[in-house]
Amino acid sequence: MKFSSMIRASLAVSLVSLLAACGGGDSATPAPEVAWASPAVFVTPGAANKSFALSGCERRTYGQQVPNQTLYKASLLIASNGDVSILASTTETATATVIFSIAFADAKDSSWSVSGNTQTPTYSLYVNQEVRDFEKSINVYPQGDGGARLNAGEEGRSGGYGINNCTMTDKLALQVNADSSRAAKNLGTAAGVTTYDGYDADGRIEAGSAFWQSDNESAPDDKYNFMRFNLGTGELASSTSTTGTYSALSLSLPAGTTSYSNGSYGESLSRFESNFDYKDAKSICVSSYSYDPVTDQESGFNIYATAYGNKFLPEGTRRVQAQPDFLESTKGYRGGCNNGS
């Protein structure tokens, strides 16, 4: 596969509609101009930044005989330009100061995703910076109880440190419209896309849309056999065959009325990778899964696609397979858009 591990683990947009986790459906309210895959999607529009309280954090130094430090008054600060910082103090009485930071402009990889349904969405966030023999990263990942944990740290030749065991006391919440217009602006004609890259999936660009075979082992009458992405509007549609009728896909997170349906959506950005001609690569992920216990029928897929330079590169849909213990484990979810952890 041409997709890097970060792109694969991170993320093709809800090409059709705002994830229901943030309201569901396209909104009449203009979306803030937030960069693709930027952590700033969690900042209230018009605000300079947003702070999220953390608890249980400790700092662990590697390569040195230094005791672990308990961190107090810890918080994650996300700026409107996408910069991320962790503030904390090493005593209960001291003022919290910045102990870790990554500028979005310096990030090699950045991604975020949301999974689940409208009632209980869970979020992931990952930002990584690499300079020669130096690397730092921050990772927010969901827990089974609906909460989230945070780890961060940096590493170089002389060692490094980690900020571990942090619990997100304040939860992330999406503040932008991840809709078809955002997808078109970043992955379509408006982003300069004119050429189809068939490295991972056979396809073409024709009449303003990208068409591709979603799976090398497409099954008869499978409605997700073939995909179409309108480069002008951002609409995603699917068909059972190349000559069949394409039906638009509504990819909002499900409303949460049944535990047998889940979805996820994610955006990612990767910079200066040879796989993408050393150009900024904007990637999108959409995942959907539903199961009907009455008919014992399931339906689901994961879709990944990347735009880099003037090229559109989709990866084939991957079927989501039911597990034997699904009915006994309805919170389980096959597939999804994950962060870079």
Side-chain angles (χ1 to χ4, degrees):
M1 288 294 181
K2 188 171 184 177
F3 280 68
S4 69
S5 59
M6 176 267 166
I7 291 291
R8 288 279 299 274
S10 7
L11 314 155
V13 147
S14 178
L15 301 173
V16 178
S17 55
L18 168 64
L19 282 177
C22 2
D26 291 341
S27 172
T29 303
E33 291 297 323
V34 177
W36 188 263
S38 169
V41 296
F42 300 115
V43 177
T44 305
N49 54 57
K50 188 171 180 62
S51 180
F52 301 87
L54 304 171
S55 63
C57 299
E58 67 175 14
R59 175 177 168 136
R60 180 177 301 173
T61 302
Y62 306 117
Q64 301 178 34
Q65 296 299 318
V66 178
N68 295 348
Q69 285 184 307
T70 298
L71 299 177
Y72 302 91
K73 304 175 184 177
S75 63
L76 168 66
L77 186 70
I78 303 177
S80 59
N81 64 356
D83 295 352
V84 292
S85 304
I86 295 176
L87 286 75
S89 64
T90 55
T91 68
E92 294 185 73
T93 57
T95 300
T97 58
V98 174
I99 61 171
F100 176 90
S101 64
I102 299 179
F104 179 66
D106 296 332
K108 182 180 182 295
D109 302 313
S110 182
S111 65
W112 65 266
S113 66
V114 58
S115 299
N117 55 51
T118 56
Q119 295 182 9
T120 57
T122 59
Y123 294 92
S124 297
L125 172 65
Y126 177 76
V127 184
N128 170 264
Q129 179 185 356
E130 296 179 20
V131 181
R132 296 187 182 89
D133 58 350
F134 172 82
E135 180 178 2
K136 59 167 56 176
S137 63
I138 185 169
N139 186 14
V140 177
Y141 54 97
Q143 296 290 284
D145 59 1
R149 300 291 293 275
L150 178 149
N151 288 328
E154 62 179 58
E155 184 176 358
R157 287 185 177 180
S158 59
Y161 68 89
I163 299 170
N164 306 315
N165 302 323
C166 298
T167 296
M168 294 283 296
T169 305
D170 294 328
K171 294 183 178 181
L172 299 174
L174 194 58
Q175 301 294 318
V176 303
N177 292 350
D179 56 11
S180 57
S181 62
R182 179 172 170 85
K185 179 179 179 180
N186 288 277
L187 302 171
T189 305
V193 172
T194 59
T195 304
Y196 185 87
D197 185 337
Y199 186 93
D200 284 316
D202 292 337
R204 69 193 188 280
I205 288 180
E206 180 181 308
S209 291
F211 296 83
W212 70 95
Q213 183 176 357
S214 66
D215 194 311
N216 289 330
E217 300 177 356
S218 297
D221 301 323
D222 189 324
K223 63 181 178 180
Y224 304 118
N225 276 345
F226 297 89
M227 293 289 170
R228 180 186 71 193
F229 173 53
N230 188 307
L231 297 169
T233 67
E235 180 192 75
L236 181 69
S238 68
S239 176
T240 58
S241 68
T242 55
T243 58
T245 300
Y246 281 81
S247 300
L249 298 177
S250 177
L251 299 177
S252 299
L253 291 185
T257 55
T258 172
S259 58
Y260 302 114
S261 296
N262 281 290
S264 64
Y265 162 92
E267 299 177 2
S268 66
L269 171 69
S270 184
R271 294 185 172 117
F272 206 71
E273 284 200 11
S274 60
N275 283 345
F276 304 109
D277 300 338
Y278 300 100
K279 301 181 185 299
D280 285 0
K282 296 179 179 180
S283 210
I284 185 175
C285 168
V286 178
S287 182
S288 176
Y289 181 82
S290 62
Y291 174 75
D292 187 337
V294 176
T295 63
D296 194 32
Q297 297 295 310
E298 65 172 344
S299 178
F301 59 86
N302 294 343
I303 296 175
Y304 297 81
T306 296
Y308 67 101
N310 68 339
K311 298 179 181 180
F312 181 79
L313 167 65
E315 181 177 350
T317 296
R318 297 178 191 160
R319 296 300 179 269
V320 181
Q321 300 296 326
Q323 296 179 353
D325 61 348
F326 181 75
L327 290 177
E328 288 73 33
S329 180
T330 57
K331 296 301 182 183
Y333 176 57
R334 264 65 64 196
C337 305
N338 302 311
N339 63 6
S341 60

